[in-house]
């Protein structure tokens, strides 16, 4: 690995002109990197930044002014798994990458580094060992400190344009919600479609019956329905179940882009979701948020510098936090014990703030 001092000297000498950042993972993980992207660009303003990620998560980087080009790879492909081959390698080699910074170190990337002939590779330091209770976004910034990267007081970033704003305005106008209140619910997460093999439960999911009761309460309180959002087939199927249980028509904002969701949440008076990617989109656009946490640690993956306000609901029971994807949970009581009344009480704080003169 390259020494930080050597990297800084090479940049100042004009030998580092293009920097490749790597994070191939889910949407939330990529959003966590956005403060580091911004601060890296501030530290190395003359460098051109490239980013290597997967096709699904690339939406996070759309419109990001600090990234010149996004390259795609699939870590699950046969070519990568068996031979470490990805079409992105040729494009990266042609681009002339001088420095590679993986936000998460994987030994499987080493052959890629050789193929693109990058003279400098930096491995982040102290991303978890020094403070296991710090937020992931903070850990990444800490790991870049030896390069002279300094944090700022801003949070995460997701960008959207006029087309997304216009589409959201038209959507809300059709619902008669131009003046609000706009309440958005995102019941799903990447576990929504998980089969219950061997009696295991999707640990991060709040029960559909709870969501349905929440919808009914909001309908009575506001005289209008909240909006359900979702991306995957599992999200949409879960939303349909909530509609069926509630017995109400619930408008859905589904199947669009993450940037479109960002535009919607920027208009929201309140947002409710679990520990999933849209939670971090909400933080990025300052949507007032109620976050439902069960097995995870909110201090590590929860709302980060949400200027609109964020309330985390989590029950302190004996098995929380629940670490590891291999742990099979037959009864996700950590989520079930979060009551609809808990959520309503939290939402009322946002509504009261909205109505204050």
């Amino acid at each position: 690995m390259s020494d930080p001092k050597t990297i800084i000297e090479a940049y100042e000498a004009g030998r580092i002109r293009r920097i490749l950042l790597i994070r191939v993972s889910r949407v939330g993980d990529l959003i966590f990197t956005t403060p580091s992207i911004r601060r890296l660009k501030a530290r190395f303003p003359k460098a051109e930044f490239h980013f290597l990620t997967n096709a699904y998560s690339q939406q996070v980087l759309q419109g990001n002014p600090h990234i010149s080009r996004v390259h795609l790879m699939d870590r699950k492909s046969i070519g990568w798994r068996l031979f470490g081959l990805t079409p992105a390698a040729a494009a990266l080699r042609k681009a002339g990458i001088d420095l590679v910074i993986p936000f998460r170190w994987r030994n499987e990337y080493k052959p890629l580094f050789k193929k693109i002939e990058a003279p400098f590779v930096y491995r982040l330091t102290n991303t978890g060992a020094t403070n296991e209770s710090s937020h992931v976004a903070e850990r990444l910034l800490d790991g870049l400190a030896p390069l002279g990267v300094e944090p700022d007081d801003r949070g995460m970033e997701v960008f959207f344009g006029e087309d997304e704003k216009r589409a959201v305005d038209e959507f809300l106008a059709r619902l008669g919600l131009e003046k609000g209140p706009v309440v958005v619910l995102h019941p799903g997460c990447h576990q929504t479609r998980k089969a219950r093999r061997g009696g295991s439960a999707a640990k991060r999911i709040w029960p559909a019956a709870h969501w349905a009761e929440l919808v009914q309460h909001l309908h009575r309180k506001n005289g209008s329905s909240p909006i359900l959002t979702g991306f995957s087939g599992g999200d949409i199927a879960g939303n349909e179940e909530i509609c069926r249980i509630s017995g109400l028509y619930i408008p859905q904002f589904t199947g669009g882009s993450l940037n479109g969701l960002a535009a919607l949440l920027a208009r929201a008076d309140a947002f409710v979701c679990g520990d999933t990617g849209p939670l971090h989109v909400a933080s990025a656009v300052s949507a007032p948020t109620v976050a439902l946490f069960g097995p995870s640690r909110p201090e590590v993956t929860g709302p980060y510098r949400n200027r609109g306000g964020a309330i985390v609901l989590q029950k302190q029971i004996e098995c929380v936090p629940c670490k590891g994807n291999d742990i099979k949970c037959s009864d996700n009581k950590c989520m079930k014990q979060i009551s609809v009344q808990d959520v309503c009480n939290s939402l009322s704080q946002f509504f009261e703030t909205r109505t204050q003169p």
Side-chain angles (χ1 to χ4, degrees):
M1 296 305 101
S2 302
D3 176 72
K5 183 179 178 181
T6 303
I7 291 173
I8 293 170
E9 290 174 350
Y11 171 76
E12 292 175 348
R15 291 187 288 119
I16 292 181
R17 296 168 299 169
R18 295 178 185 86
I19 300 175
L20 173 66
L21 309 176
I22 302 177
R23 188 65 171 107
V24 183
S25 189
R26 298 189 183 99
V27 163
D29 296 317
L30 205 59
I31 297 176
F32 293 154
T33 70
T34 57
S36 293
I37 295 171
R38 180 178 64 246
R39 298 312 297 160
L40 275 165
K41 183 62 178 177
R43 175 65 182 87
F44 302 108
K46 296 179 182 179
E48 177 181 286
F49 281 83
H50 293 234
F51 206 109
L52 178 63
T53 189
N54 52 301
Y56 177 73
S57 298
Q58 68 170 320
Q59 303 173 75
V60 172
L61 301 173
Q62 183 176 325
N64 191 310
H66 314 304
I67 300 297
S68 297
R69 184 175 175 186
V70 176
H71 304 262
L72 303 180
M73 69 170 289
D74 181 4
R75 289 186 59 242
K76 297 181 180 180
S77 70
I78 297 297
W80 177 259
R81 288 190 171 187
L82 295 182
F83 309 108
L85 298 175
T86 174
L92 289 167
R93 181 174 177 176
K94 184 177 180 181
I97 299 299
D98 302 304
L99 168 63
V100 181
I101 304 177
F103 282 115
R104 179 176 179 179
W105 183 263
R106 296 183 186 275
N107 287 330
E108 68 188 73
Y109 292 153
K110 289 181 178 180
L112 177 65
F113 301 156
K114 292 181 179 180
K115 289 173 184 175
I116 66 178
E117 299 180 344
F120 301 99
V121 178
Y122 177 72
R123 182 170 182 173
L124 273 68
T125 58
N126 300 326
T127 56
T130 56
N131 186 358
E132 291 189 356
S133 65
S134 62
H135 197 279
V136 174
E138 294 283 0
R139 296 187 199 186
L140 296 176
L141 286 164
D142 289 346
L144 293 167
L147 293 176
V149 174
E150 298 180 353
D152 57 21
D153 59 358
R154 295 164 58 188
M156 301 179 291
E157 295 178 309
V158 174
F159 299 89
F160 56 89
E162 291 301 320
D163 288 345
E164 287 88 2
K165 288 182 183 178
R166 191 178 306 109
V168 166
D169 287 343
E170 293 173 355
F171 174 75
L172 294 177
R174 290 196 298 270
L175 300 176
L177 293 175
E178 303 97 319
K179 298 181 180 180
V182 177
V183 183
V184 182
L185 313 178
H186 187 87
C189 76
H190 75 278
Q191 295 180 335
T192 305
R193 299 187 68 178
K194 279 194 172 182
R196 302 190 174 212
R197 299 185 187 94
S200 64
K203 293 184 289 185
R204 298 182 186 181
I205 299 297
W206 203 41
H210 287 32
W211 285 109
E213 186 179 344
L214 176 61
V215 168
Q216 292 169 337
H217 170 85
L218 292 170
H219 194 279
R220 290 193 299 270
K221 179 180 177 64
N222 300 323
S224 61
S225 176
I227 298 164
L228 294 176
T229 62
F231 290 95
S232 69
D235 288 348
I236 295 171
N239 289 349
E240 290 174 351
E241 182 180 7
I242 293 166
C243 294
R244 179 184 59 79
I245 296 172
S246 71
L248 296 169
Y249 164 73
I250 312 173
Q252 298 192 45
F253 189 86
T254 58
S257 67
L258 180 141
N259 309 83
L261 175 65
L264 174 64
L265 294 183
R267 292 284 306 276
D269 296 289
F271 178 54
V272 184
C273 71
D275 177 17
T276 185
L279 171 66
H280 312 302
V281 176
S283 289
V285 299
S286 302
T289 300
V290 179
L292 313 181
F293 268 71
S296 307
R297 292 181 295 170
E299 65 271 21
V300 176
T301 60
Y304 179 71
R305 296 192 174 184
N306 185 332
R307 288 169 295 200
I311 299 171
V312 174
L313 298 178
Q314 185 175 47
K315 297 299 181 180
Q316 299 303 314
I317 59 178
E318 68 279 0
C319 56
V320 170
C322 172
K323 296 182 179 179
N325 292 327
D326 295 332
I327 297 176
K328 302 302 180 183
C329 176
S330 60
D331 180 17
N332 62 336
K333 57 185 178 181
C334 58
M335 293 298 291
K336 293 177 180 177
Q337 287 186 17
I338 299 173
S339 71
V340 174
Q341 191 60 53
D342 291 333
V343 178
C344 292
N345 291 342
S346 299
L347 285 172
S348 66
Q349 298 182 41
F350 295 132
F351 293 141
E352 289 167 4
T353 301
R354 183 178 184 272
T355 55
Q356 288 176 357

